[in-house]
């Protein structure tokens, strides 16, 4: 399936991306790092770092998380061990969920 040219995005998503970008930029400046230094440490281009800082929704979430990690921005208020524990807990819970969600094919007759 082809990627749509102008994918609709909610105001919430736009503002969340903007907030993340502003927090990343603030941390980068507080740590006196240039965008080029962050890009080199994160293994990406300086332009992508700038796009993330501007809240560009076209930047991948993985790239944004990597930049946040490089500048020391803790997104989930966990240390490394805490993140591992949370990830393991989420995996355990998700294994109990159904593999797929299916729509109901018939109307439920609840007339007793």
């Amino acid at each position: 399936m082809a990627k749509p040219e102008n994918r609709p995005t909610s105001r919430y998503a736009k503002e969340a991306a903007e907030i993340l970008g502003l927090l990343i930029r603030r941390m980068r400046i507080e740590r006196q790092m240039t965008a080029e230094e962050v890009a080199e440490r994160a293994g990406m281009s300086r332009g992508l770092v700038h796009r993330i800082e501007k809240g560009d929704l076209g930047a991948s979430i993985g790239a944004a998380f990597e930049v946040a990690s490089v500048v020391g921005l803790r997104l989930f208020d966990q240390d490394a061990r805490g993140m591992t524990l949370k990830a393991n807990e989420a995996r355990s819970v998700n294994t109990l969920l159904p593999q797929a969600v299916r729509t109901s094919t018939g109307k439920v007759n609840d007339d007793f």
Side-chain angles (χ1 to χ4, degrees):
M1 178 187 243
K3 184 176 173 182
E5 291 272 333
N6 293 322
R7 179 178 25 198
T9 54
S10 67
R11 180 177 176 185
Y12 181 87
K14 290 176 186 174
E15 289 177 345
E18 181 182 10
I19 290 167
L20 177 59
L22 292 169
L23 290 172
I24 288 171
R25 178 174 164 71
R26 184 176 78 196
M27 289 295 292
R28 176 178 65 79
I29 291 170
E30 285 177 2
R31 292 182 180 253
Q32 298 181 346
M33 298 175 76
T34 66
E36 191 169 336
E37 290 170 331
V38 171
E40 185 176 323
R41 288 186 58 193
M44 60 187 69
S45 70
R46 182 175 54 91
L48 181 54
V49 171
H50 283 300
R51 285 179 43 218
I52 291 167
E53 288 182 351
K54 289 179 182 178
D56 183 350
L57 290 170
S60 76
I61 192 166
F65 281 4
E66 188 60 32
V67 170
S69 175
V70 167
V71 298
L73 178 61
R74 290 173 52 182
L75 297 172
F76 296 101
D77 201 30
Q78 300 281 331
D79 59 6
R81 188 169 190 283
M83 286 292 286
T84 302
L85 292 173
K86 277 288 196 192
N88 288 338
E89 177 185 328
R91 285 186 205 103
S92 295
V93 169
N94 282 358
T95 59
L96 302 174
L97 298 174
Q99 293 294 314
V101 177
R102 293 176 177 76
T103 58
S104 176
T105 56
K107 186 175 179 181
V108 175
N109 184 1
D110 59 358
D111 188 22
F112 298 102

